[in-house]
Amino acid sequence: MPKTALNSAIWYFSMILATACLVLANLVAVPGSWPPAGAVFLFGAHSALIYGMFSSIFSLLALSFSLNSVTGRPLTIITALAGASLLGTTLVLHHAAGPFASLDGVGAGAANAPAVAAAFLMLLRAFGVAILPPRGDRSGVAEAGWSVALAFSAAAASWLFAGPAAVPATLAATLLLAWPNLIDGINAFADKVFHTAALGSGARELAPGAFTRIARARDILIDKAAVMSGPDLMVTNVMAFNNEPKTLLAVAASAEAQSTHPVAHALRQLAAQWRVDLRLPDRFEPAPGLGVVALLGGQTVVIGTPDLLKTLRIDSFTADAIARSLEADGKTVLRVAVGGRVVGVLGLEGTLRQDAGVTGQALRQEGLVPWLACGDSPKTREALAGMLGLELPADPQPGDTVHEAAARFPAASAPLVLTLSGDRTRLELRGGSSGGDTPGTGTPPPLAVSDTDDIGAFPALKALAMRRNLLAVHARRLLRCLWAAAGIGGACALLPLAAAPVLFLACLAILWVFARFSVADTLKGAP
């Protein structure tokens, strides 16, 4: 049997047993009302405690096989501790008072109430985690703390005004009915309905929790490759200082003959058009983000940025003066040095996406500050950023990848990263944090993916993420009020423990109504 099927079978079996034990615990909680004659040996004084304990254990087992993510773990642990405390309370009351006796007026029925509440608490948590897998930024710990505070306040008031006999039942009912079993799963409903809208806006894939990460972000770092209409570059300028342009092109294209970089493809393509013969270099050393160093015909050939030439102590003052006008047009300018002396300049450019500038403006309207990650010279970066309406990072480093640039942002404001995939077939949106990196890649896994011609999907994702969070906020407020009212009703003995499943179903119905509303509202204008 496959592992997933085995886990499902164990989950169903555990939940059936937990439900059966809860029913039995509820039936024998009040002595004398049940069981039938002749079955007393199965339903003794401690039966409610025993069945409540078994129900809690089976529920806990089911929780271990359900989709209990890191987000849901804190509330599950606190629920288990609350259930164990209620079971312990019943055990203390029984041993202190004796079977079916009373301790300061606390009868056996009231003594059994905490055990039944514990069973309800654990079983509803198990169902809640399975139906709405915890997701988002709400752990439920704060809400659980308020439930505990309300329960103890109600117990104290019951002690003062109704006597000790009512304290166990009041404590159990208040804690159970005010417990936020579904608080960390609210976003699961929202994710389901907004996922459809995201696909309609151009997104192809969405990772679990993508909406939460996108909604939190305030900055987005856009790789230059993501705003180009294609991977191809075109050589627009071949400026030789002391030789023919064909000679300069032959040297540059031969030095790049073993490279797979788009610059190398552009040089080789122009060399073929000019019918320039190429040679293979004797040695080839790429400098990622900076250029290449090759040995050609016994001479060292360097093609790259001013930073690479500066590292190799090659003076590029004359080339820099010529390059400024090209860089002001947003072109990529490379210096070519042979034997330690700059002999020419190459200008290359790609085609910007027609919607790149509109996308930058759309991202700003959705509350994201768009930044440009570009490995070109400062002048080229400034020109491109001005054309696209993007911001420039204050401290770019030579040869930086987009993820290295994102890592220099403050940890509290880690940006989203929009880049082109390695195979150049799709656009990928990733979190700027390195947590949860894809094994072997050193980069975070994608939050969202779109086709290369659907860059507009990402402003739409931000808008959907913000609206989805707003939906979750309204649902959370309504459920908090409902749980508080139910807890007060339990404290006043207006609602019995058996009302907990009804309350649970009512909460699910509320979330379903919110989800249906969001579908109608969000998909109305979807293409």
Side-chain angles (χ1 to χ4, degrees), residues 86 89 93 106 110 113-114 146-176 178 487-493:
L86 290 172
T89 300
L93 291 174
V106 179
W146 284 110
S147 299
V148 172
L150 178 62
F152 277 100
S153 300
S158 179
W159 182 288
L160 291 176
F161 298 105
V167 170
T170 300
L171 177 68
T174 306
L175 187 63
L176 173 61
I488 294 172
C492 298

Side-chain angles (χ1 to χ4, degrees), residues 252-522:
S254 296
E256 295 266 19
Q258 294 178 326
S259 174
T260 59
H261 194 276
V263 170
H265 286 297
L267 290 173
R268 291 196 293 266
Q269 184 178 12
L270 184 61
Q273 293 174 1
W274 286 11
R275 297 180 180 179
V276 173
D277 294 330
L278 303 183
R279 295 181 294 168
L280 290 177
D282 302 316
R283 189 178 75 246
F284 176 78
E285 298 177 2
L290 298 175
V292 299
V293 179
L295 184 64
L296 188 66
Q299 287 189 310
T300 300
V301 177
V302 179
I303 305 173
T305 65
D307 294 305
L308 178 60
L309 270 62
K310 187 182 298 183
T311 302
L312 299 175
R313 297 182 179 180
I314 298 176
D315 181 24
S316 63
F317 178 79
T318 303
D320 293 343
I322 296 174
R324 289 191 187 99
S325 61
L326 301 178
E327 292 171 340
D329 294 331
K331 295 182 179 181
T332 298
V333 181
L334 300 176
R335 285 74 168 165
V336 182
V338 178
R341 186 171 61 90
V342 177
V343 298
V345 170
L346 300 171
L348 302 95
E349 68 177 358
T351 305
L352 291 173
R353 302 175 56 95
Q354 293 183 349
D355 57 352
V358 177
T359 299
Q361 183 179 0
L363 289 169
R364 288 184 186 275
Q365 290 176 349
E366 300 302 336
L368 281 172
V369 179
W371 302 81
L372 176 65
C374 178
D376 290 309
S377 66
K379 288 289 185 182
T380 300
R381 287 196 297 266
E382 291 173 6
L384 285 174
M387 293 177 190
L388 300 173
L390 307 181
E391 303 292 331
L392 284 174
D395 56 347
Q397 300 297 316
D400 258 354
T401 66
V402 64
H403 296 290
E404 289 171 341
R408 287 199 303 275
F409 276 73
S413 60
L416 299 172
V417 174
L418 179 62
T419 186
L420 198 63
S421 63
D423 57 6
R424 298 180 177 270
T425 60
R426 60 184 191 171
L427 294 172
E428 297 178 340
L429 185 70
R430 300 174 184 266
S433 171
S434 60
D437 290 357
T438 303
T441 66
T443 57
L447 296 174
V449 170
S450 79
D451 292 328
T452 54
D453 57 349
D454 276 328
I455 192 171
F458 300 104
L461 275 179
K462 176 64 174 179
L464 289 172
M466 296 302 292
R467 297 205 49 218
R468 171 262 201 188
N469 271 20
L470 185 62
L471 170 75
V473 167
H474 290 317
R476 194 159 49 239
R477 288 174 179 170
L478 181 58
L479 292 189
R480 282 173 177 164
C481 293
L482 182 60
W483 285 322
I488 294 172
C492 298
L494 299 176
L495 294 176
L497 296 177
V502 178
L503 178 64
F504 183 84
L505 293 176
C507 293
L508 287 178
I510 290 172
L511 292 179
W512 181 83
V513 170
F514 269 83
R516 294 296 298 173
F517 170 79
S518 68
V519 168
D521 188 57
T522 305

Side-chain angles (χ1 to χ4, degrees), residues 194-240:
F194 277 98
H195 186 270
T196 303
L199 295 180
S201 300
R204 270 173 36 191
E205 302 172 17
L206 284 175
F211 282 121
T212 298
R213 295 285 301 276
I214 294 171
R216 287 178 181 173
R218 294 294 176 266
D219 300 276
I220 180 169
L221 189 61
I222 304 175
D223 192 8
K224 176 185 174 182
V227 295
M228 308 302 291
S229 63
D232 296 332
L233 292 173
M234 180 175 62
V235 181
T236 57
N237 303 88
V238 182
M239 305 176 68

Side-chain angles (χ1 to χ4, degrees), residues 68-79 125 134 139 141 184:
N68 194 16
S69 64
V70 175
T71 303
R73 200 166 295 146
L75 184 56
T76 295
I77 293 174
I78 294 176
T79 303
R125 178 60 182 169
S139 66
V141 173
D184 54 358

Side-chain angles (χ1 to χ4, degrees), residues 11 15 59-60 62-63 66-80 118-135 138-141 176 179-186 483 504:
W11 185 88
M15 292 303 288
S59 297
L60 191 60
L63 278 167
S66 59
L67 299 176
N68 194 16
S69 64
V70 175
T71 303
R73 200 166 295 146
L75 184 56
T76 295
I77 293 174
I78 294 176
T79 303
F120 269 119
L121 203 65
M122 291 300 298
L123 186 64
L124 293 179
R125 178 60 182 169
F127 272 116
V129 169
I131 296 171
L132 298 179
R135 190 175 301 157
R138 288 289 173 178
S139 66
V141 173
L176 173 61
W179 197 256
N181 274 305
L182 297 174
I183 193 72
D184 54 358
I186 287 176
W483 285 322
F504 183 84

